[in-house]
Amino acid sequence: MRALVFLTAALVVLLMTAPLRAVENADANWHQWRGPNANGTASHGDPPVAWSPEQNIKWKKAIPGRGNATPIVWGDKLFVLTAVDTGQPDPNAAPAAEAAAADSDSDRRGFGRFGGDSGPRNVHQFIVLCLDRNSGDVLWQKVARESTPHEGKHGDNTYASGSPTTDGERLYVSFGSQGIFCYDLEGNPVWERDLGNLQTRHSFGEGASPTIHKDALVVPWDQETGSKLYVLDAATGDTRWAKDRDEVTTWNTPLVVEAAGKTQIIINGDNRIRSYDLATGEVIWECGGLGTNPIPMPVVFENLVYCMTGHREPAGIAVPLDSQGDVTDSDKVAWRTTQGTPYVPSPLLVGDRLYYTKGNNAVLSSINARTGEAVIDQKRIPGLQNIYASPVAAQGRMYFTGRDGTTVVLRDGDAIDVLATNAVGEPVDASPAIVGDTMYIRGVEHLFCIGGQ
């Protein structure tokens, strides 16, 4: 990897840390978007290496509507979100011609120029589904909200792209502008909050997921004006604190870690990576240099947090977790790179290796997570083209799923070693989830349970 500033020996022996598990027994589940350790790896998982529409598909379930939210699992329950266009016109929605004119005149609502829609005019249902993870049977279904989205979205986005999370007692769901919802695991409503309408860049749409930590729910709220970070009481939904952010739209899910004597919320941004004190909302440290549209979730290994973006100004930065203040131009930063970093997919941590793909392309890099030293430098993964889903791993195997529904399984190592190339038969943008000997892949129409038969 080019343009790296390597760690000194002194930095390596700083405070050792790891992502703080949100709840007891998290390792045996997949309770949030990036799994039990927030890095894509299932420590106790062992899903199949090979599958096809005829092999190792335990069940598949048609999911109504559209959604890129990753399914999450707790015990025998699987939770997934979707948004269904009812086909019922909203009499209060702007007519098509008026919406198109707004697209031409406004940077904020002008996503028509980029291949998206000019704004919805039908009522949508925002739905929470609970399935039996062993059979795919629907255990319960709730319509959290029925309304018409206030703005359009990217053609590849959906109105249900943020993933839910659970602490094993309650389920936390963010439909963004449509509300934040809390249910018990039997589907009974506990509380809900309306934080207002987000105004996303060019109406790209929404997609950040909430993060649960003990009795606190962290809700990112970045938009074109008035960005905030919220911490809500997990039991009641009441606001503990809300911090203004000098940021625009990011689509970034926060990471919570314990390090340097504090519980830190780490979140990317166009202007700064920031670490907030979970208890007070005060900024502990910040670092600039990532560039626009940061989407990948931060990843922690030992004393470092890695933050990346792969839009027009690709960048990756490693910052020690015991930092203080603004470290943008200081020698406190462990290393930086401007090569090969991801746009939509998040990095994957396997042992002491950090793996990531270039932009939305199947071009793989890996580094030694301690030193930043390149192991694999921008090598194409055979059989894959474009990727939105974040990779996952178990038992020294890595699963990279392309937008066409092809999953290439690689062995963790110093070179690209393909173990299998698999398909589910339909496009996939959502990130997979691994629990035990099964993997769950959400396609555009179905949810697939992959496991030995």
Side-chain angles (χ1 to χ4, degrees):
M1 175 181 273
R2 304 172 183 86
L4 294 179
V5 179
F6 294 110
L7 291 169
T8 65
L11 283 174
V12 177
V13 297
L14 287 174
L15 174 67
M16 305 280 282
T17 190
L20 187 68
R21 293 183 178 88
V23 288
E24 189 178 357
N25 299 324
D27 273 354
N29 296 283
W30 192 277
H31 75 284
Q32 60 186 356
W33 172 47
R34 294 300 286 144
N37 300 305
N39 58 22
T41 294
S43 303
H44 302 293
D46 191 11
V49 175
W51 64 86
S52 69
E54 295 77 34
Q55 176 195 11
N56 282 340
I57 304 294
K58 293 182 68 174
W59 54 260
K60 75 174 185 178
K61 181 74 174 181
I63 303 296
R66 288 195 62 205
N68 290 340
T70 289
I72 65 164
V73 174
W74 190 269
D76 290 331
K77 291 183 171 69
L78 179 149
F79 305 95
V80 67
L81 310 183
T82 191
V84 176
D85 184 339
T86 66
Q88 175 185 348
D90 184 343
N92 298 316
E98 182 181 332
D103 282 350
S104 300
D105 296 339
S106 169
D107 284 340
R108 175 172 60 78
R109 296 189 57 83
F111 190 67
R113 302 192 304 274
F114 296 87
D117 59 49
S118 58
R121 284 168 289 279
N122 288 344
V123 175
H124 286 59
Q125 290 184 334
F126 298 86
I127 295 175
V128 183
L129 283 165
C130 175
L131 309 183
D132 183 312
R133 81 172 187 92
N134 299 301
S135 67
D137 295 338
V138 176
L139 300 179
W140 54 263
Q141 175 176 324
K142 300 292 180 181
V143 178
R145 179 69 48 87
E146 185 171 276
S147 66
T148 302
H150 68 288
E151 65 178 8
K153 58 177 177 56
H154 190 289
D156 295 336
N157 200 1
T158 73
Y159 292 114
S161 292
S163 300
T165 187
T166 182
D167 53 13
E169 180 181 357
R170 292 178 290 263
L171 177 71
Y172 307 94
V173 171
S174 174
F175 282 113
S177 298
Q178 303 303 320
I180 315 298
F181 302 88
C182 176
Y183 300 87
D184 67 22
L185 299 196
E186 302 305 316
N188 299 304
V190 179
W191 55 260
E192 65 179 77
R193 287 289 307 274
D194 183 351
L195 300 179
N197 285 340
L198 287 161
Q199 307 295 341
T200 63
R201 183 177 305 160
H202 302 304
S203 289
F204 281 178
E206 303 166 17
S209 304
T211 301
I212 186 66
H213 173 80
K214 296 184 178 179
D215 60 355
L217 184 70
V218 183
V219 180
W221 206 254
D222 283 351
Q223 55 181 322
E224 289 307 279
T225 59
S227 293
K228 291 180 181 294
L229 181 64
Y230 287 92
V231 169
L232 308 182
D233 185 286
T236 66
D238 294 338
T239 300
R240 291 188 175 175
W241 55 260
K243 189 76 172 182
D244 291 335
R245 282 171 51 78
D246 178 24
E247 296 292 347
V248 291
T249 315
T250 62
W251 307 278
N252 191 258
T253 297
L255 174 71
V256 179
V257 299
E258 285 202 357
K262 293 184 177 180
T263 303
Q264 302 185 29
I265 304 170
I266 300 171
I267 185 167
N268 280 350
D270 274 34
N271 296 327
R272 291 283 193 272
I273 307 161
R274 292 180 180 87
S275 168
Y276 297 87
D277 188 326
L278 178 65
T280 66
E282 296 305 309
V283 174
I284 300 170
W285 57 263
E286 57 186 319
C287 183
L290 270 191
T292 59
N293 289 14
I295 297 174
M297 186 175 180
V299 176
V300 160
F301 178 73
E302 295 182 349
N303 68 300
L304 291 176
V305 61
Y306 311 88
C307 296
M308 296 183 173
T309 184
H311 189 223
R312 294 175 180 173
E313 304 165 278
I317 301 175
V319 181
L321 289 165
D322 66 343
S323 298
Q324 296 284 331
D326 189 346
V327 299
T328 301
D329 297 316
S330 76
D331 58 7
K332 187 72 174 177
V333 175
W335 53 258
R336 301 175 185 265
T337 184
T338 58
Q339 302 291 325
T341 50
Y343 183 18
V344 173
S346 290
L348 172 68
L349 183 69
V350 183
D352 62 356
R353 298 278 177 85
L354 191 67
Y355 292 86
Y356 49 90
T357 50
K358 180 179 183 179
N360 294 327
N361 302 303
V363 176
L364 182 67
S365 294
S366 76
I367 60 169
N368 182 307
R370 290 191 177 90
T371 67
E373 188 172 8
V375 179
I376 299 172
D377 188 3
Q378 300 188 65
K379 303 296 183 183
R380 180 161 290 279
I381 302 173
L384 289 183
Q385 295 296 322
N386 300 117
I387 300 175
Y388 276 9
S390 297
V392 294
Q395 298 298 316
R397 302 185 300 268
M398 303 178 295
Y399 298 77
F400 291 84
T401 300
R403 300 197 67 205
D404 64 355
T406 300
T407 298
V408 174
V409 185
L410 303 181
R411 192 189 311 275
D412 173 29
D414 295 346
I416 291 181
D417 181 1
V418 176
L419 300 176
T421 301
N422 310 301
V424 292
E426 66 184 65
V428 174
D429 282 344
S431 302
I434 297 173
V435 179
D437 61 357
T438 55
M439 173 182 289
Y440 299 91
I441 294 180
R442 182 186 189 167
V444 296
E445 295 181 354
H446 296 89
L447 179 61
F448 298 85
C449 176
I450 298 165
Q453 295 178 318

